[in-house]
Amino acid sequence: MLPRAYTFIGLNGGRILSIIALTLVFASNIVTLVHDIQAVNRFVTPDKSGSNSSSDGTNSTIYTSDMDYILGSTVPNQPAGIFWAVLNRLLIIGQSILLIMSEFGWPSRFFDHYFPVLGKDFGLGALGVIQCLIGAAILSHHVDTFTLVAAFFLFSIGCLNILVGLIWRGSAKAKRSLTSWREQAKSVLPTNIGGVDARPAMSTATSAASSVVSNMFSGSDHATSSSKAGFGFGRQGEKAAGLNGYLISKPIESLPRYVAKPIPTGPAAAV
């Protein structure tokens, strides 16, 4: 198997692991968001059975007001703490969806115009940095086991993508692209040289050559040459060349030097 095939398989294996890690983070943050909302509801709504009151009749709010976090959640016990906690989870969920879409490469035009660091012209270093930031933001709180494992897995994949970005730089996504692999397998000439797409240069050279050939064997008028085919090498082409001032001369008929002289025959030869 070619080294290019090993690179292709390895980079796509890393892409699959990245998608799995982002999916786990997406699911775990939804679960954490639900648990936080339930914990806040228990904290705000007093228990009708009186369990929120202490033995001396005072309300448990006096005790819970000294806590840094609401019991059983990642919500800080401070003004607008629930708002920022929910906003943090929603941003992580949105970023996970955005990174999953960039890993699939759809829609590529959207990422190329609005998020170039996640587009096809950039490597995997920026993707790895964003994944590490998401993992660190989750691991900085006390979360359940599922969320902890998903965040640590995403942080590890982010470090791997940063390493891949440092090795292959801007050509990492081109090397793992399925479409470029198929095009390189079909074409005779290479379409990716040193991480640079050579297809625009090849198409430009092909179109330039075709235009030169068409101009050589077409009429003088540009509109006529663009609307009609060339005259070729026949009498029509010779006539058109004469009208344009070109003279086509026939070569002088002569025998090659290596041809032997003819041997005379008849009575003269006997003398």
Side-chain angles (χ1 to χ4, degrees):
M1 189 179 292
L2 297 175
R4 186 167 63 93
Y6 288 115
T7 303
F8 176 79
I9 294 173
L11 291 177
N12 279 281
R15 179 197 286 189
I16 293 173
L17 292 177
S18 178
I19 293 173
I20 293 174
L22 290 168
T23 305
L24 292 176
V25 168
F26 172 79
S28 63
N29 274 270
I30 292 178
V31 174
T32 304
L33 179 62
V34 173
H35 290 169
D36 288 346
I37 294 176
Q38 291 176 352
V40 171
N41 289 334
R42 289 193 301 267
F43 175 76
V44 173
T45 305
D47 193 353
K48 295 182 180 179
S49 61
S51 59
N52 284 349
S53 300
S54 61
S55 58
D56 56 354
T58 59
N59 196 295
S60 60
T61 307
I62 301 176
Y63 169 72
T64 57
S65 61
D66 297 332
M67 299 174 61
D68 294 331
Y69 285 85
I70 295 176
L71 187 62
S73 69
T74 61
V75 179
N77 188 13
Q78 62 185 12
I82 181 62
F83 170 76
W84 296 114
V86 172
L87 181 62
N88 178 41
R89 297 299 167 186
L90 292 177
L91 288 175
I92 292 175
I93 291 172
Q95 292 172 16
S96 301
I97 295 174
L98 193 67
L99 294 182
I100 291 173
M101 293 171 62
S102 70
E103 284 291 76
F104 281 108
W106 180 87
S108 60
R109 188 181 299 275
F110 171 78
F111 287 106
D112 291 338
H113 285 279
Y114 297 101
F115 295 97
V117 293
L118 298 177
K120 60 184 179 181
D121 295 331
F122 280 75
L124 299 175
L127 175 66
V129 170
I130 297 174
Q131 289 175 337
C132 289
L133 291 176
I134 294 175
I138 298 174
L139 293 173
S140 61
H141 297 279
H142 184 272
V143 292
D144 56 2
T145 305
F146 175 49
T147 307
L148 180 67
V149 172
F152 190 80
F153 184 35
L154 181 64
F155 187 86
S156 303
I157 296 298
C159 294
L160 178 62
N161 284 329
I162 292 176
L163 180 62
V164 171
L166 292 175
I167 295 174
W168 281 284
R169 291 172 290 181
S171 63
K173 291 186 177 180
K175 290 181 180 297
R176 72 176 188 178
S177 176
L178 296 176
T179 55
S180 65
W181 174 269
R182 292 173 183 173
E183 290 177 359
Q184 289 181 4
K186 291 180 180 179
S187 61
V188 178
L189 298 176
T191 58
N192 194 296
I193 302 173
V196 179
D197 192 4
R199 286 172 293 180
M202 294 171 61
S203 61
T204 303
T206 305
S207 61
S210 62
S211 63
V212 169
V213 173
S214 62
N215 289 333
M216 288 176 60
F217 301 104
S218 62
S220 59
D221 192 4
H222 179 73
T224 306
S225 62
S226 60
S227 60
K228 298 181 180 180
F231 294 101
F233 294 95
R235 294 190 58 83
Q236 294 293 332
E238 184 178 354
K239 183 179 179 181
L243 293 175
N244 290 330
Y246 298 101
L247 298 178
I248 302 177
S249 60
K250 293 183 179 181
I252 301 174
E253 297 181 359
S254 62
L255 295 176
R257 297 179 180 179
Y258 56 82
V259 176
K261 295 180 179 180
I263 301 175
T265 58
V271 178

